[in-house]
């Protein structure tokens, strides 16, 4: 299985990346997967060029392909002005509109205060619902005071378990679904309807 982590943190080190790494470790602890981290900070210029030219650069194209091919996503953004960052939104704006259809996604965010925790429900969940992703029930928000406090590790484990279950379930179903449906040419179907005589 392939797990892609999209981190929109801007600083180094970044609490956004730290949360992303903890979520990925908890998920792969339950469902082993190859993990690829996409750092949007490193793709900012290519994202801007793609928005204006319509063509992705080499690194951005590889990141978009990885997200499209993933069995599951962990997406983490810092909170700016009570919503996701512009860089985060711009990345998903240049992604093909059907790339996340049916894909399990764990949403997470970081911020300076717990007052912004509803960003998960009023910004992130609607965005990924619009992209037709399957968003896990538990989102994870980490305010500055959450690091090292009770509650955050439990939320990480619960969300990771939900994502791992969806990824494992979908991975187990995919090959069977492909084998069950055979494409029959339309002319052959029409011929079967004609009365024999």
């Amino acid at each position: 299985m392939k797990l892609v982590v999209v981190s929109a943190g801007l600083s180094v080190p970044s609490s956004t990346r730290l949360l992303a790494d903890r979520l990925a470790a908890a998920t792969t602890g339950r469902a082993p997967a190859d993990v690829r981290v996409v750092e949007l900070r490193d793709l900012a210029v290519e994202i801007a060029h793609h928005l204006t030219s319509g063509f992705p650069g080499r690194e951005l194209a590889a990141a978009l392909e990885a997200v499209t091919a993933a069995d599951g996503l962990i997406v983490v953004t810092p909170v700016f002005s009570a919503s996701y960052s512009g860089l985060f939104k711009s990345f998903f704006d240049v992604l093909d509109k059907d790339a996340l259809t049916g894909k399990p996604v764990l949403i997470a965010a970081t911020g300076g205060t717990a007052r912004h925790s509803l960003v998960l429900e009023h910004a992130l969940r609607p965005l990924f619902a619009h992209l037709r992703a399957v968003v896990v029930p538990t989102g994870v928000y980490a305010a500055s005071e959450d690091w090292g406090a009770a509650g955050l590790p439990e939320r990480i484990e619960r969300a990771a378990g939900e994502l791992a279950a969806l990824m494992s379930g979908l991975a187990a179903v995919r090959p069977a679904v492909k084998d069950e449906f055979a494409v029959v040419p339309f002319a052959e179907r029409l011929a079967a309807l004609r009365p024999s005589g």
Side-chain angles (χ1 to χ4, degrees):
M1 285 191 300
K2 297 176 185 174
L3 174 64
V4 174
V5 179
V6 177
S7 173
L10 298 178
S11 59
V12 180
S14 161
S15 62
T16 301
R17 175 61 190 269
L18 177 61
L19 180 57
D21 289 344
R22 289 194 180 173
L23 288 165
T27 302
T28 56
R30 293 167 181 260
D34 294 325
V35 178
R36 166 142 188 211
V37 177
V38 175
E39 280 281 3
L40 297 186
R41 178 185 65 245
D42 300 335
L43 299 172
V45 172
E46 287 192 32
I47 291 170
H49 285 167
H50 185 31
L51 286 168
T52 57
S53 72
F55 298 100
R58 186 180 324 172
E59 290 183 22
L60 177 58
L64 294 171
E65 185 178 317
V67 167
T68 301
D71 294 299
L73 290 180
I74 295 172
V75 297
V76 191
T77 180
V79 175
F80 292 119
S81 302
S83 190
Y84 38 67
S85 74
L87 180 60
F88 182 86
K89 179 63 164 58
S90 294
F91 177 76
F92 289 101
D93 284 345
V94 299
L95 185 67
D96 182 88
K97 65 181 181 61
D98 297 320
L100 299 184
T101 301
K103 195 176 302 291
V105 177
L106 190 167
I107 56 172
T110 57
T113 173
R115 290 191 308 260
H116 292 302
S117 63
L118 286 177
V119 71
L120 296 172
E121 304 306 323
H122 75 73
L124 285 167
R125 197 171 297 278
L127 170 63
F128 288 96
H130 172 74
L131 295 171
R132 298 189 305 277
V134 178
V135 183
V136 302
T138 303
V140 180
Y141 179 82
S144 299
E145 63 265 22
D146 288 327
W147 297 101
L152 180 59
E154 290 79 10
R155 291 195 309 275
I156 288 172
E157 288 298 326
R158 183 169 56 248
E162 292 166 357
L163 179 61
L166 281 174
M167 287 175 61
S168 298
L170 290 177
V173 168
R174 280 185 186 150
V177 170
K178 287 180 183 175
D179 293 337
E180 281 181 23
F181 298 103
V183 177
V184 178
F186 186 66
E188 192 177 315
R189 288 195 180 267
L190 282 177
L193 294 175
R194 289 187 192 128
S196 58

